[in-house]
Amino acid sequence: MLNAKLLKLPTAAHQHNHQHHQIVVGVRGQAELRVEGSGACLDTWKACLVPTEARHDYCGDHQNHVLVINVDPFSPALSTPLHSDYDKLVRFFEMPRTVQMDNRIQGLVQFAAGEFDRSPENRILHQHLAASILHCMAERIVDRPVVSSNRNSLNPEDVRRYIVANLHHKITVQDLAGVACLSVSRFHEIFRQVTGTTPHQFLLQTRLDHAVGLLSSTSLSVSEISYRTGFSSQSALTNALRKHRGITPSRLQLSERVA
């Protein structure tokens, strides 16, 4: 019923359509998707849903990696248990949309991407991991939709841009609250409601995203990268990568040399 792959989008835009539903999930760097004329910027906290036959074009920066999950509407036979799964998921693709991932799904996506890298030929593993991501997203959108409110006007992308612009500096929650023109307590409450994660975790994940990108695409030393991404030391970056991404700087640098 579905297949998945981890890939890098080209820097030049490419347009096409296909006979299956598709979800494109940000894993590393940034990518741009335009579905039926509506644009979306993918980072490590966003996914884009592309219904069957929808024309779309895409491109990415030099560091981008995305997880692409294809859902084939013609594959499950009516008499098989897979058909009931498809019926449950098909509502997920009623229209093109961009999904803001919460902390749990973002962590699941990063874990899955690591397993794709670790076992590139294990298609059964890829399928199971992709199905888990898809069901978790569908459950949040279809079964328990988040009702937005005008008072939740905070835009996580504005916060992310501020973090990126000041990445090598110390950044406090008070600084981030100032970007949103909110008190610290109010900012913390609304930010968690909108993103499903805390400002501190969002800051850490943004730092890690950029550290991974630099380790994978440059010859900079780990010490220099830890400075540029706001970690207090090389060991602090190493420990954070091992704990939150299950990988070490040396392994990321080795994969880049092999590539």
Side-chain angles (χ1 to χ4, degrees), residues 158-215:
D158 291 339
V159 176
R160 189 194 68 81
R161 279 195 290 266
Y162 174 84
I163 293 172
V164 171
N166 297 277
L167 203 59
H168 65 287
H169 296 137
K170 179 180 179 180
I171 301 173
T172 66
V173 175
Q174 185 172 2
D175 294 330
L176 302 181
V179 174
C181 299
L182 295 168
S183 68
V184 171
S185 59
R186 187 69 178 139
F187 172 75
H188 196 283
E189 176 190 353
I190 295 178
F191 192 89
R192 183 152 193 163
Q193 183 176 352
V194 171
T195 67
T197 190
T198 66
H200 174 74
Q201 282 295 320
F202 187 86
L203 171 60
L204 175 61
Q205 295 296 340
T206 303
R207 291 194 190 281
L208 286 174
D209 290 341
H210 282 264
V212 167
L214 290 172
L215 287 164

Side-chain angles (χ1 to χ4, degrees), residues 128-156:
H128 282 293
L129 289 170
S132 297
I133 292 169
L134 197 56
H135 277 280
C136 287
M137 285 189 179
E139 182 185 62
R140 283 160 169 76
I141 290 182
V142 175
D143 295 337
R144 293 198 296 272
V146 177
V147 180
S148 60
S149 166
N150 288 335
R151 69 188 183 95
N152 293 344
S153 57
L154 184 149
N155 184 356

Side-chain angles (χ1 to χ4, degrees), residues 29-234:
Q30 292 188 345
E32 298 284 341
L33 269 80
R34 184 169 294 274
V35 185
E36 299 290 3
S38 178
C41 177
L42 291 187
D43 56 22
T44 56
W45 293 89
K46 293 191 183 73
C48 186
L49 305 183
V50 184
T52 181
E53 295 288 1
R55 294 203 63 81
H56 55 286
D57 58 78
Y58 52 81
C59 61
D61 64 16
H62 289 286
Q63 298 177 1
N64 91 87
H65 281 79
V66 295
L67 179 63
V68 177
I69 303 173
N70 298 317
V71 183
D72 187 353
F74 304 108
S75 176
L78 290 173
S79 58
T80 68
L82 287 178
H83 185 75
S84 61
D85 281 346
Y86 177 74
D87 281 346
K88 185 184 299 181
L89 292 173
V90 70
R91 292 175 295 161
F92 191 40
F93 294 96
E94 287 175 346
M95 67 185 74
R97 65 177 111 189
T98 302
V99 178
Q100 181 78 31
M101 294 186 287
D102 62 29
N103 192 45
R104 290 178 180 273
I105 293 186
Q106 202 264 1
L108 176 59
V109 167
Q110 293 297 330
F111 170 77
E115 293 300 298
F116 273 55
D117 276 338
R118 187 182 66 83
S119 303
E121 303 303 323
N122 192 339
R123 303 303 177 193
I124 299 299
L125 174 64
H126 299 177
Q127 188 176 50
H128 282 293
L129 289 170
S132 297
I133 292 169
L134 197 56
H135 277 280
C136 287
M137 285 189 179
E139 182 185 62
R140 283 160 169 76
I141 290 182
V142 175
D143 295 337
R144 293 198 296 272
V146 177
V147 180
S148 60
S149 166
N150 288 335
R151 69 188 183 95
N152 293 344
S153 57
L154 184 149
N155 184 356
E157 188 61 22
D158 291 339
V159 176
R160 189 194 68 81
R161 279 195 290 266
Y162 174 84
I163 293 172
V164 171
N166 297 277
L167 203 59
H168 65 287
H169 296 137
K170 179 180 179 180
I171 301 173
T172 66
V173 175
Q174 185 172 2
D175 294 330
L176 302 181
V179 174
C181 299
L182 295 168
S183 68
V184 171
S185 59
R186 187 69 178 139
F187 172 75
H188 196 283
E189 176 190 353
I190 295 178
F191 192 89
R192 183 152 193 163
Q193 183 176 352
V194 171
T195 67
T197 190
T198 66
H200 174 74
Q201 282 295 320
F202 187 86
L203 171 60
L204 175 61
Q205 295 296 340
T206 303
R207 291 194 190 281
L208 286 174
D209 290 341
H210 282 264
V212 167
L214 290 172
L215 287 164
S216 302
S217 62
T218 74
S219 58
L220 293 171
S221 68
V222 179
S223 178
E224 174 65 17
I225 291 172
S226 65
Y227 167 75
R228 292 192 182 196
T229 52
F231 288 91
S232 60
S233 65
Q234 178 176 327

